[in-house]
Amino acid sequence: MDLEEALASLKAQLLPISEVEHCALQHSRGRVLAKPVTAQLSLPPFRASAMDGYAIQAGKHDQILNVIGESLAGHPFQGDIGPGECVRIFTGALVPANADQIILQEEVSAREGRQVRFNVHSPSESYIRPIGNDLKVGSQIAAQGDVLNPFLMGSLASAGVSVVEVFRKPVIGVFSSGDELRDPGVAVEDLLAGQIYDSNRLTVMQLLATLPVEVRDLGRLADDAGAVSEALANGALDCDAMITSGGVSVGDADYISETIEKLGTLAFWRLNLKPGKPMAFGKIGNCWIFGLPGNPVSTIVTALLLVRPALATLAGTVADAPLRIKAKLTTPLQHQPGRREYQRGTFTQHAGEFAVSHTGDQGSNRLSTFHAANCLIEVDKETGDLNSGHWVNILPLTYLIN
Ligand code: AMP
Ligand code: MG
């Protein structure tokens, strides 16, 4: 299965969460709206001055006007303006009912006591913001599935919304697997021969941290069929989806795909993707399960390109397609036709053009190729080796982890 096919299949199978909860607006950042929101009032709700100046009745003024009061934001002037009269007014203040023009304070040539004199002219605009200029009562501010970001949260606050209805966050359990793994925190001198630190569990949890999901650390699976089966069966009871890494190839200690098949259904296993070939996907009871490959680079690539967009669907929203930018290779790039490949790269911008180089040896065990990188270089399955100067698609990492 190609990447796009796998992604389409994931999105088609993962039905969005339907439970709705109420959330205080100030705590709703990143959450997914469960219902459209419409404006309860127009904005501005009254005719408001766009400038500091003097409110007058257009056409009925002399060059010298009597200032009969003040209208400040939050402190409106009560009363009417007659001929030869004006009201001192400031930005955001309510415009008196029978005023239809603001004379900018810059137009005032002199102010003596309660009188102002201004230059006669025909203003190009009234400097009055009509009711509903920004937002009309009843109009839709946001749709179901919209993710609350600071801009939307601000709009909702301005429309008087203080509580939003959002989808429950799906619970995502994260496992790692492998008898060789030890927790970070164990002293280096306490590592036994053949042991390494577990990095995938932490990385995957971090890669999900910006999604509207609740991430749970479910620990590590031992390389034992019975233990894997018990842990996955238990995890499936509490989670909407689980993610494992490792144990999904065809080695003697690889139990993930056979356990998914035994306890539930294996929807697919193996992708036409490098790195990331042995990824598995299936369901145990009501819980989806993503079996990611164990090599840290493969774990990250599949988490970024498949798991994150799939979990966005589960959470009730739609992940944007990754941002792809054209960049010119500054190093030759090796690729054997057959599988779509993502290499780690570093891009820079010069005079409006992007240039990219890969980060060296692309072994899927080499996590160090990632922290030096700021993008993935996308190489299509039909492509062979590429010379420097060739244009390629790059996917900036910051957009993939946002
Ligand atoms: P596996 O598919 O389980 O054989 O794992 C493939 C490779 O990835 C092996 O070299 C594992 O030691 C390594 N690996 C698997 N899981 C992790 C992990 N959580 N952290 C670091 N390396 C891992
Ligand atoms: Mg293993």
Side-chain angles (χ1 to χ4, degrees):
M1 230 194 239
D2 287 339
L3 176 73
E4 279 73 23
E5 222 180 316
L7 195 54
S9 151
L10 289 175
K11 288 186 174 173
Q13 292 184 66
L14 288 158
L15 288 182
I17 289 283
S18 57
E19 295 110 294
V20 175
E21 25 185 77
H22 288 84
C23 182
L25 183 66
Q26 71 265 34
H27 298 128
S28 69
R29 184 167 184 180
R31 300 296 298 268
V32 182
L33 273 181
K35 304 238 165 85
V37 183
T38 51
Q40 303 296 305
L41 82 175
S42 289
L43 286 178
F46 48 85
R47 294 194 315 146
S49 178
M51 299 297 252
D52 293 342
Y54 295 85
I56 63 165
Q57 285 184 294
K60 292 195 186 154
H61 59 266
D62 305 309
Q63 236 185 305
I64 296 176
L65 295 178
N66 283 327
V67 184
I68 57 163
E70 273 193 339
S71 186
L72 290 93
H75 302 281
F77 171 79
Q78 320 275 356
D80 287 332
I81 300 174
E85 293 179 339
C86 69
V87 162
R88 180 77 172 117
I89 196 163
F90 298 93
T91 306
L94 184 142
V95 176
N98 60 343
D100 47 19
Q101 176 70 55
I102 308 297
I103 300 292
L104 306 189
Q105 70 186 31
E106 294 86 332
E107 305 286 341
V108 172
S109 51
R111 179 166 176 172
E112 292 133 24
R114 293 175 52 79
Q115 290 203 317
V116 286
R117 176 192 299 274
F118 60 89
N119 311 323
V120 177
H121 69 309
S122 33
S124 55
E125 53 175 307
S126 69
Y127 301 109
I128 295 171
R129 296 177 185 144
I131 293 171
N133 169 245
D134 186 16
L135 202 59
K136 300 238 175 344
V137 63
S139 63
Q140 184 170 311
I141 306 174
Q144 177 188 318
D146 283 355
V147 176
L148 287 136
N149 64 25
F151 316 112
L152 179 52
M153 290 168 73
S155 282
L156 294 177
S158 75
V161 175
S162 63
V163 175
V164 282
E165 289 181 75
V166 295
F167 288 121
R168 171 176 74 77
K169 287 181 178 182
V171 176
I172 315 298
V174 180
F175 288 104
S176 52
S177 82
D179 288 346
E180 75 281 25
L181 302 174
R182 302 292 299 274
D183 282 333
V186 170
V188 175
E189 50 277 17
D190 293 337
L191 288 187
L192 304 178
Q195 293 187 331
I196 57 170
Y197 288 115
D198 180 348
S199 64
N200 285 344
R201 188 148 41 98
L202 178 122
T203 314
V204 169
M205 289 175 65
Q206 288 304 314
L207 289 175
L208 306 186
T210 48
L211 291 176
V213 300
E214 184 189 323
V215 182
R216 286 203 192 147
D217 184 348
L218 296 187
R220 191 157 53 240
L221 300 167
D223 288 330
D224 172 85
V228 170
S229 181
E230 194 188 329
L232 293 187
N234 275 333
L237 300 176
D238 298 333
C239 297
D240 296 292
M242 296 186 289
I243 299 169
T244 64
S245 60
V248 79
S249 297
V250 289
D252 288 350
D254 293 336
Y255 298 108
I256 302 295
S257 33
E258 65 181 58
T259 306
I260 299 174
E261 222 163 12
K262 190 188 87 182
L263 300 175
T265 46
L266 186 62
F268 65 73
W269 179 28
R270 295 204 187 109
L271 301 177
N272 212 9
L273 178 66
K274 182 182 179 181
K277 183 174 171 194
M279 177 174 158
F281 173 69
K283 199 170 191 186
I284 298 173
N286 288 322
C287 178
W288 302 101
I289 175 159
F290 299 81
L292 307 187
N295 268 313
V297 172
S298 317
T299 310
I300 296 176
V301 168
T302 47
L304 290 176
L305 299 178
L306 288 150
V307 177
R308 280 188 45 112
L311 293 186
T313 301
L314 186 64
T317 184
V318 178
D320 291 332
L323 178 70
R324 287 179 165 80
I325 299 175
K326 292 270 178 229
K328 205 183 231 176
L329 279 175
T330 58
T331 43
L333 181 149
Q334 290 179 342
H335 178 249
Q336 272 196 341
R339 280 188 281 163
R340 164 82 64 80
E341 183 173 1
Y342 289 91
Q343 300 200 0
R344 274 71 63 216
T346 310
F347 74 95
T348 49
Q349 190 180 10
H350 308 281
E353 260 186 23
F354 293 95
V356 67
S357 58
H358 60 71
T359 54
D361 173 10
Q362 296 285 317
S364 60
N365 60 318
R366 299 199 54 202
L367 193 49
S368 59
T369 61
F370 250 112
H371 65 239
N374 61 8
C375 69
L376 295 177
I377 306 173
E378 185 171 61
V379 193
D380 270 335
K381 61 180 177 186
E382 295 85 10
T383 307
D385 291 347
L386 298 174
N387 294 325
S388 58
H390 200 94
W391 288 89
V392 288
N393 274 337
I394 59 168
L395 286 61
L397 288 175
T398 43
Y399 286 87
L400 293 174
I401 61 173
N402 250 331

PDB file of all heavy atoms in Angstrom, residues 332-364:
ATOM      1  N   PRO A 332      23.934  15.543  -4.051  1.00  0.00           N
ATOM      2  CA  PRO A 332      23.271  14.447  -4.766  1.00  0.00           C
ATOM      3  C   PRO A 332      22.498  13.601  -3.759  1.00  0.00           C
ATOM      4  O   PRO A 332      22.839  13.592  -2.572  1.00  0.00           O
ATOM      5  CB  PRO A 332      24.428  13.637  -5.375  1.00  0.00           C
ATOM      6  CG  PRO A 332      25.663  14.401  -5.111  1.00  0.00           C
ATOM      7  CD  PRO A 332      25.406  15.399  -4.046  1.00  0.00           C
ATOM      8  N   LEU A 333      21.463  12.922  -4.242  1.00  0.00           N
ATOM      9  CA  LEU A 333      20.632  12.136  -3.322  1.00  0.00           C
ATOM     10  C   LEU A 333      20.453  10.744  -3.922  1.00  0.00           C
ATOM     11  O   LEU A 333      20.125  10.608  -5.105  1.00  0.00           O
ATOM     12  CB  LEU A 333      19.302  12.871  -3.165  1.00  0.00           C
ATOM     13  CG  LEU A 333      18.233  12.326  -2.254  1.00  0.00           C
ATOM     14  CD1 LEU A 333      17.431  13.472  -1.664  1.00  0.00           C
ATOM     15  CD2 LEU A 333      17.330  11.375  -3.001  1.00  0.00           C
ATOM     16  N   GLN A 334      20.708   9.725  -3.114  1.00  0.00           N
ATOM     17  CA  GLN A 334      20.580   8.361  -3.613  1.00  0.00           C
ATOM     18  C   GLN A 334      19.213   7.797  -3.271  1.00  0.00           C
ATOM     19  O   GLN A 334      18.741   7.957  -2.142  1.00  0.00           O
ATOM     20  CB  GLN A 334      21.668   7.484  -3.001  1.00  0.00           C
ATOM     21  CG  GLN A 334      23.027   7.847  -3.567  1.00  0.00           C
ATOM     22  CD  GLN A 334      24.144   7.017  -2.970  1.00  0.00           C
ATOM     23  OE1 GLN A 334      23.992   6.411  -1.915  1.00  0.00           O
ATOM     24  NE2 GLN A 334      25.269   6.997  -3.663  1.00  0.00           N
ATOM     25  N   HIS A 335      18.607   7.169  -4.274  1.00  0.00           N
ATOM     26  CA  HIS A 335      17.308   6.532  -4.025  1.00  0.00           C
ATOM     27  C   HIS A 335      17.101   5.393  -5.004  1.00  0.00           C
ATOM     28  O   HIS A 335      17.240   5.567  -6.216  1.00  0.00           O
ATOM     29  CB  HIS A 335      16.173   7.542  -4.170  1.00  0.00           C
ATOM     30  CG  HIS A 335      14.827   6.926  -3.971  1.00  0.00           C
ATOM     31  ND1 HIS A 335      13.911   6.775  -4.995  1.00  0.00           N
ATOM     32  CD2 HIS A 335      14.255   6.388  -2.872  1.00  0.00           C
ATOM     33  CE1 HIS A 335      12.827   6.187  -4.522  1.00  0.00           C
ATOM     34  NE2 HIS A 335      13.008   5.940  -3.242  1.00  0.00           N
ATOM     35  N   GLN A 336      16.760   4.248  -4.448  1.00  0.00           N
ATOM     36  CA  GLN A 336      16.432   3.111  -5.307  1.00  0.00           C
ATOM     37  C   GLN A 336      14.956   3.140  -5.620  1.00  0.00           C
ATOM     38  O   GLN A 336      14.139   3.194  -4.697  1.00  0.00           O
ATOM     39  CB  GLN A 336      16.732   1.811  -4.566  1.00  0.00           C
ATOM     40  CG  GLN A 336      18.152   1.345  -4.741  1.00  0.00           C
ATOM     41  CD  GLN A 336      18.280  -0.117  -4.338  1.00  0.00           C
ATOM     42  OE1 GLN A 336      17.434  -0.658  -3.632  1.00  0.00           O
ATOM     43  NE2 GLN A 336      19.340  -0.743  -4.800  1.00  0.00           N
ATOM     44  N   PRO A 337      14.577   3.111  -6.907  1.00  0.00           N
ATOM     45  CA  PRO A 337      13.156   3.115  -7.242  1.00  0.00           C
ATOM     46  C   PRO A 337      12.439   1.957  -6.548  1.00  0.00           C
ATOM     47  O   PRO A 337      13.032   0.902  -6.320  1.00  0.00           O
ATOM     48  CB  PRO A 337      13.146   2.922  -8.769  1.00  0.00           C
ATOM     49  CG  PRO A 337      14.496   3.338  -9.237  1.00  0.00           C
ATOM     50  CD  PRO A 337      15.443   3.039  -8.115  1.00  0.00           C
ATOM     51  N   GLY A 338      11.167   2.172  -6.217  1.00  0.00           N
ATOM     52  CA  GLY A 338      10.382   1.095  -5.589  1.00  0.00           C
ATOM     53  C   GLY A 338       9.455   1.627  -4.515  1.00  0.00           C
ATOM     54  O   GLY A 338       8.256   1.438  -4.575  1.00  0.00           O
ATOM     55  N   ARG A 339      10.040   2.331  -3.514  1.00  0.00           N
ATOM     56  CA  ARG A 339       9.220   2.838  -2.415  1.00  0.00           C
ATOM     57  C   ARG A 339       9.318   4.354  -2.346  1.00  0.00           C
ATOM     58  O   ARG A 339      10.375   4.917  -2.615  1.00  0.00           O
ATOM     59  CB  ARG A 339       9.732   2.292  -1.078  1.00  0.00           C
ATOM     60  CG  ARG A 339       9.304   0.894  -0.776  1.00  0.00           C
ATOM     61  CD  ARG A 339       9.685   0.494   0.634  1.00  0.00           C
ATOM     62  NE  ARG A 339      11.076   0.125   0.790  1.00  0.00           N
ATOM     63  CZ  ARG A 339      11.707   0.055   1.968  1.00  0.00           C
ATOM     64  NH1 ARG A 339      11.072   0.380   3.083  1.00  0.00           N
ATOM     65  NH2 ARG A 339      12.969  -0.303   2.043  1.00  0.00           N
ATOM     66  N   ARG A 340       8.251   5.038  -1.955  1.00  0.00           N
ATOM     67  CA  ARG A 340       8.319   6.466  -1.609  1.00  0.00           C
ATOM     68  C   ARG A 340       9.259   6.590  -0.410  1.00  0.00           C
ATOM     69  O   ARG A 340       9.158   5.826   0.543  1.00  0.00           O
ATOM     70  CB  ARG A 340       6.914   6.949  -1.233  1.00  0.00           C
ATOM     71  CG  ARG A 340       6.856   8.273  -0.483  1.00  0.00           C
ATOM     72  CD  ARG A 340       6.941   9.453  -1.399  1.00  0.00           C
ATOM     73  NE  ARG A 340       5.788   9.483  -2.288  1.00  0.00           N
ATOM     74  CZ  ARG A 340       4.569   9.936  -1.942  1.00  0.00           C
ATOM     75  NH1 ARG A 340       4.348  10.431  -0.741  1.00  0.00           N
ATOM     76  NH2 ARG A 340       3.574   9.907  -2.798  1.00  0.00           N
ATOM     77  N   GLU A 341      10.176   7.549  -0.506  1.00  0.00           N
ATOM     78  CA  GLU A 341      11.133   7.698   0.591  1.00  0.00           C
ATOM     79  C   GLU A 341      11.087   9.113   1.171  1.00  0.00           C
ATOM     80  O   GLU A 341      10.866  10.079   0.449  1.00  0.00           O
ATOM     81  CB  GLU A 341      12.564   7.401   0.098  1.00  0.00           C
ATOM     82  CG  GLU A 341      13.576   7.470   1.230  1.00  0.00           C
ATOM     83  CD  GLU A 341      14.989   7.024   0.846  1.00  0.00           C
ATOM     84  OE1 GLU A 341      15.222   6.668  -0.322  1.00  0.00           O
ATOM     85  OE2 GLU A 341      15.849   7.059   1.747  1.00  0.00           O
ATOM     86  N   TYR A 342      11.303   9.193   2.465  1.00  0.00           N
ATOM     87  CA  TYR A 342      11.462  10.492   3.128  1.00  0.00           C
ATOM     88  C   TYR A 342      12.835  10.531   3.765  1.00  0.00           C
ATOM     89  O   TYR A 342      13.120   9.752   4.677  1.00  0.00           O
ATOM     90  CB  TYR A 342      10.358  10.704   4.171  1.00  0.00           C
ATOM     91  CG  TYR A 342       9.031  10.946   3.509  1.00  0.00           C
ATOM     92  CD1 TYR A 342       8.174   9.887   3.231  1.00  0.00           C
ATOM     93  CD2 TYR A 342       8.656  12.216   3.088  1.00  0.00           C
ATOM     94  CE1 TYR A 342       6.978  10.085   2.575  1.00  0.00           C
ATOM     95  CE2 TYR A 342       7.456  12.426   2.434  1.00  0.00           C
ATOM     96  CZ  TYR A 342       6.622  11.359   2.176  1.00  0.00           C
ATOM     97  OH  TYR A 342       5.430  11.573   1.511  1.00  0.00           O
ATOM     98  N   GLN A 343      13.686  11.415   3.262  1.00  0.00           N
ATOM     99  CA  GLN A 343      15.016  11.577   3.841  1.00  0.00           C
ATOM    100  C   GLN A 343      15.016  12.839   4.699  1.00  0.00           C
ATOM    101  O   GLN A 343      14.278  13.783   4.437  1.00  0.00           O
ATOM    102  CB  GLN A 343      16.069  11.701   2.730  1.00  0.00           C
ATOM    103  CG  GLN A 343      16.110  10.466   1.841  1.00  0.00           C
ATOM    104  CD  GLN A 343      17.414  10.336   1.064  1.00  0.00           C
ATOM    105  OE1 GLN A 343      18.317  11.160   1.169  1.00  0.00           O
ATOM    106  NE2 GLN A 343      17.518   9.274   0.272  1.00  0.00           N
ATOM    107  N   ARG A 344      15.848  12.831   5.723  1.00  0.00           N
ATOM    108  CA  ARG A 344      15.966  14.022   6.558  1.00  0.00           C
ATOM    109  C   ARG A 344      16.837  15.038   5.848  1.00  0.00           C
ATOM    110  O   ARG A 344      17.875  14.676   5.269  1.00  0.00           O
ATOM    111  CB  ARG A 344      16.576  13.694   7.927  1.00  0.00           C
ATOM    112  CG  ARG A 344      15.572  13.230   8.957  1.00  0.00           C
ATOM    113  CD  ARG A 344      15.023  11.851   8.688  1.00  0.00           C
ATOM    114  NE  ARG A 344      16.061  10.840   8.741  1.00  0.00           N
ATOM    115  CZ  ARG A 344      16.125   9.763   7.960  1.00  0.00           C
ATOM    116  NH1 ARG A 344      15.190   9.533   7.052  1.00  0.00           N
ATOM    117  NH2 ARG A 344      17.097   8.903   8.067  1.00  0.00           N
ATOM    118  N   GLY A 345      16.416  16.298   5.895  1.00  0.00           N
ATOM    119  CA  GLY A 345      17.160  17.338   5.183  1.00  0.00           C
ATOM    120  C   GLY A 345      17.204  18.638   5.961  1.00  0.00           C
ATOM    121  O   GLY A 345      16.493  18.826   6.957  1.00  0.00           O
ATOM    122  N   THR A 346      18.070  19.510   5.488  1.00  0.00           N
ATOM    123  CA  THR A 346      18.166  20.859   6.052  1.00  0.00           C
ATOM    124  C   THR A 346      17.942  21.836   4.911  1.00  0.00           C
ATOM    125  O   THR A 346      18.649  21.774   3.908  1.00  0.00           O
ATOM    126  CB  THR A 346      19.565  21.087   6.646  1.00  0.00           C
ATOM    127  OG1 THR A 346      19.862  19.990   7.500  1.00  0.00           O
ATOM    128  CG2 THR A 346      19.609  22.371   7.450  1.00  0.00           C
ATOM    129  N   PHE A 347      16.931  22.688   5.049  1.00  0.00           N
ATOM    130  CA  PHE A 347      16.703  23.656   3.972  1.00  0.00           C
ATOM    131  C   PHE A 347      17.033  25.057   4.446  1.00  0.00           C
ATOM    132  O   PHE A 347      16.985  25.361   5.642  1.00  0.00           O
ATOM    133  CB  PHE A 347      15.273  23.563   3.422  1.00  0.00           C
ATOM    134  CG  PHE A 347      14.205  24.143   4.331  1.00  0.00           C
ATOM    135  CD1 PHE A 347      13.760  25.460   4.165  1.00  0.00           C
ATOM    136  CD2 PHE A 347      13.638  23.376   5.329  1.00  0.00           C
ATOM    137  CE1 PHE A 347      12.782  25.985   4.987  1.00  0.00           C
ATOM    138  CE2 PHE A 347      12.651  23.898   6.158  1.00  0.00           C
ATOM    139  CZ  PHE A 347      12.224  25.203   5.989  1.00  0.00           C
ATOM    140  N   THR A 348      17.397  25.878   3.467  1.00  0.00           N
ATOM    141  CA  THR A 348      17.676  27.289   3.734  1.00  0.00           C
ATOM    142  C   THR A 348      17.018  28.095   2.623  1.00  0.00           C
ATOM    143  O   THR A 348      16.671  27.544   1.571  1.00  0.00           O
ATOM    144  CB  THR A 348      19.195  27.578   3.702  1.00  0.00           C
ATOM    145  OG1 THR A 348      19.736  27.006   2.515  1.00  0.00           O
ATOM    146  CG2 THR A 348      19.914  27.010   4.907  1.00  0.00           C
ATOM    147  N   GLN A 349      16.859  29.377   2.849  1.00  0.00           N
ATOM    148  CA  GLN A 349      16.237  30.245   1.858  1.00  0.00           C
ATOM    149  C   GLN A 349      17.236  31.292   1.410  1.00  0.00           C
ATOM    150  O   GLN A 349      17.859  31.952   2.247  1.00  0.00           O
ATOM    151  CB  GLN A 349      15.008  30.923   2.485  1.00  0.00           C
ATOM    152  CG  GLN A 349      14.159  31.656   1.486  1.00  0.00           C
ATOM    153  CD  GLN A 349      12.950  32.308   2.127  1.00  0.00           C
ATOM    154  OE1 GLN A 349      12.845  32.370   3.340  1.00  0.00           O
ATOM    155  NE2 GLN A 349      12.060  32.810   1.304  1.00  0.00           N
ATOM    156  N   HIS A 350      17.417  31.394   0.092  1.00  0.00           N
ATOM    157  CA  HIS A 350      18.302  32.429  -0.467  1.00  0.00           C
ATOM    158  C   HIS A 350      17.541  33.124  -1.579  1.00  0.00           C
ATOM    159  O   HIS A 350      17.131  32.446  -2.522  1.00  0.00           O
ATOM    160  CB  HIS A 350      19.555  31.825  -1.118  1.00  0.00           C
ATOM    161  CG  HIS A 350      20.310  30.896  -0.254  1.00  0.00           C
ATOM    162  ND1 HIS A 350      21.162  31.310   0.729  1.00  0.00           N
ATOM    163  CD2 HIS A 350      20.337  29.528  -0.223  1.00  0.00           C
ATOM    164  CE1 HIS A 350      21.682  30.256   1.330  1.00  0.00           C
ATOM    165  NE2 HIS A 350      21.190  29.172   0.785  1.00  0.00           N
ATOM    166  N   ALA A 351      17.407  34.447  -1.469  1.00  0.00           N
ATOM    167  CA  ALA A 351      16.790  35.257  -2.531  1.00  0.00           C
ATOM    168  C   ALA A 351      15.507  34.613  -3.059  1.00  0.00           C
ATOM    169  O   ALA A 351      15.310  34.454  -4.259  1.00  0.00           O
ATOM    170  CB  ALA A 351      17.794  35.450  -3.676  1.00  0.00           C
ATOM    171  N   GLY A 352      14.647  34.221  -2.130  1.00  0.00           N
ATOM    172  CA  GLY A 352      13.326  33.720  -2.524  1.00  0.00           C
ATOM    173  C   GLY A 352      13.314  32.287  -3.015  1.00  0.00           C
ATOM    174  O   GLY A 352      12.258  31.765  -3.362  1.00  0.00           O
ATOM    175  N   GLU A 353      14.458  31.619  -3.060  1.00  0.00           N
ATOM    176  CA  GLU A 353      14.495  30.215  -3.472  1.00  0.00           C
ATOM    177  C   GLU A 353      14.929  29.359  -2.304  1.00  0.00           C
ATOM    178  O   GLU A 353      15.733  29.788  -1.483  1.00  0.00           O
ATOM    179  CB  GLU A 353      15.520  30.027  -4.592  1.00  0.00           C
ATOM    180  CG  GLU A 353      14.882  29.974  -5.968  1.00  0.00           C
ATOM    181  CD  GLU A 353      15.905  29.629  -7.049  1.00  0.00           C
ATOM    182  OE1 GLU A 353      16.958  29.025  -6.753  1.00  0.00           O
ATOM    183  OE2 GLU A 353      15.631  29.991  -8.191  1.00  0.00           O
ATOM    184  N   PHE A 354      14.414  28.132  -2.266  1.00  0.00           N
ATOM    185  CA  PHE A 354      14.811  27.226  -1.192  1.00  0.00           C
ATOM    186  C   PHE A 354      15.847  26.231  -1.704  1.00  0.00           C
ATOM    187  O   PHE A 354      15.736  25.741  -2.823  1.00  0.00           O
ATOM    188  CB  PHE A 354      13.598  26.470  -0.650  1.00  0.00           C
ATOM    189  CG  PHE A 354      12.618  27.378   0.047  1.00  0.00           C
ATOM    190  CD1 PHE A 354      11.523  27.890  -0.630  1.00  0.00           C
ATOM    191  CD2 PHE A 354      12.821  27.740   1.372  1.00  0.00           C
ATOM    192  CE1 PHE A 354      10.632  28.742   0.005  1.00  0.00           C
ATOM    193  CE2 PHE A 354      11.932  28.583   2.016  1.00  0.00           C
ATOM    194  CZ  PHE A 354      10.844  29.084   1.329  1.00  0.00           C
ATOM    195  N   ALA A 355      16.844  25.980  -0.869  1.00  0.00           N
ATOM    196  CA  ALA A 355      17.860  24.980  -1.186  1.00  0.00           C
ATOM    197  C   ALA A 355      17.830  23.953  -0.063  1.00  0.00           C
ATOM    198  O   ALA A 355      17.529  24.281   1.085  1.00  0.00           O
ATOM    199  CB  ALA A 355      19.232  25.634  -1.260  1.00  0.00           C
ATOM    200  N   VAL A 356      18.126  22.710  -0.406  1.00  0.00           N
ATOM    201  CA  VAL A 356      18.074  21.654   0.609  1.00  0.00           C
ATOM    202  C   VAL A 356      19.229  20.666   0.429  1.00  0.00           C
ATOM    203  O   VAL A 356      19.626  20.371  -0.703  1.00  0.00           O
ATOM    204  CB  VAL A 356      16.699  20.935   0.582  1.00  0.00           C
ATOM    205  CG1 VAL A 356      16.497  20.150  -0.714  1.00  0.00           C
ATOM    206  CG2 VAL A 356      16.534  20.024   1.788  1.00  0.00           C
ATOM    207  N   SER A 357      19.761  20.206   1.566  1.00  0.00           N
ATOM    208  CA  SER A 357      20.747  19.126   1.515  1.00  0.00           C
ATOM    209  C   SER A 357      20.284  18.054   2.495  1.00  0.00           C
ATOM    210  O   SER A 357      19.611  18.365   3.488  1.00  0.00           O
ATOM    211  CB  SER A 357      22.128  19.646   1.915  1.00  0.00           C
ATOM    212  OG  SER A 357      22.058  20.206   3.207  1.00  0.00           O
ATOM    213  N   HIS A 358      20.604  16.786   2.229  1.00  0.00           N
ATOM    214  CA  HIS A 358      20.216  15.756   3.190  1.00  0.00           C
ATOM    215  C   HIS A 358      21.250  15.736   4.319  1.00  0.00           C
ATOM    216  O   HIS A 358      22.321  16.329   4.216  1.00  0.00           O
ATOM    217  CB  HIS A 358      20.036  14.392   2.525  1.00  0.00           C
ATOM    218  CG  HIS A 358      21.252  13.865   1.855  1.00  0.00           C
ATOM    219  ND1 HIS A 358      22.343  13.431   2.552  1.00  0.00           N
ATOM    220  CD2 HIS A 358      21.552  13.731   0.544  1.00  0.00           C
ATOM    221  CE1 HIS A 358      23.262  13.035   1.703  1.00  0.00           C
ATOM    222  NE2 HIS A 358      22.822  13.220   0.478  1.00  0.00           N
ATOM    223  N   THR A 359      20.888  15.037   5.384  1.00  0.00           N
ATOM    224  CA  THR A 359      21.726  15.113   6.592  1.00  0.00           C
ATOM    225  C   THR A 359      22.756  13.981   6.659  1.00  0.00           C
ATOM    226  O   THR A 359      23.239  13.643   7.733  1.00  0.00           O
ATOM    227  CB  THR A 359      20.845  15.061   7.854  1.00  0.00           C
ATOM    228  OG1 THR A 359      20.019  13.899   7.767  1.00  0.00           O
ATOM    229  CG2 THR A 359      19.985  16.289   7.985  1.00  0.00           C
ATOM    230  N   GLY A 360      23.061  13.387   5.512  1.00  0.00           N
ATOM    231  CA  GLY A 360      24.076  12.325   5.519  1.00  0.00           C
ATOM    232  C   GLY A 360      23.426  10.953   5.546  1.00  0.00           C
ATOM    233  O   GLY A 360      22.270  10.812   5.128  1.00  0.00           O
ATOM    234  N   ASP A 361      24.144   9.978   6.049  1.00  0.00           N
ATOM    235  CA  ASP A 361      23.668   8.590   6.098  1.00  0.00           C
ATOM    236  C   ASP A 361      22.244   8.546   6.626  1.00  0.00           C
ATOM    237  O   ASP A 361      21.945   9.064   7.702  1.00  0.00           O
ATOM    238  CB  ASP A 361      24.616   7.775   7.002  1.00  0.00           C
ATOM    239  CG  ASP A 361      24.105   6.354   7.252  1.00  0.00           C
ATOM    240  OD1 ASP A 361      23.135   5.941   6.572  1.00  0.00           O
ATOM    241  OD2 ASP A 361      24.659   5.683   8.125  1.00  0.00           O
ATOM    242  N   GLN A 362      21.355   7.909   5.871  1.00  0.00           N
ATOM    243  CA  GLN A 362      19.925   7.961   6.187  1.00  0.00           C
ATOM    244  C   GLN A 362      19.434   6.692   6.889  1.00  0.00           C
ATOM    245  O   GLN A 362      18.242   6.397   6.862  1.00  0.00           O
ATOM    246  CB  GLN A 362      19.138   8.211   4.898  1.00  0.00           C
ATOM    247  CG  GLN A 362      19.432   9.569   4.248  1.00  0.00           C
ATOM    248  CD  GLN A 362      18.764  10.704   4.995  1.00  0.00           C
ATOM    249  OE1 GLN A 362      17.607  10.608   5.387  1.00  0.00           O
ATOM    250  NE2 GLN A 362      19.489  11.791   5.203  1.00  0.00           N
ATOM    251  N   GLY A 363      20.318   5.938   7.504  1.00  0.00           N
ATOM    252  CA  GLY A 363      19.914   4.703   8.191  1.00  0.00           C
ATOM    253  C   GLY A 363      18.744   4.952   9.139  1.00  0.00           C
ATOM    254  O   GLY A 363      18.728   5.945   9.866  1.00  0.00           O
ATOM    255  N   SER A 364      17.743   4.035   9.130  1.00  0.00           N
ATOM    256  CA  SER A 364      16.519   4.305   9.892  1.00  0.00           C
ATOM    257  C   SER A 364      16.741   4.133  11.398  1.00  0.00           C
ATOM    258  O   SER A 364      15.869   4.442  12.203  1.00  0.00           O
ATOM    259  CB  SER A 364      15.386   3.407   9.419  1.00  0.00           C
ATOM    260  OG  SER A 364      15.743   2.057   9.601  1.00  0.00           O
TER     261      SER A 364
END
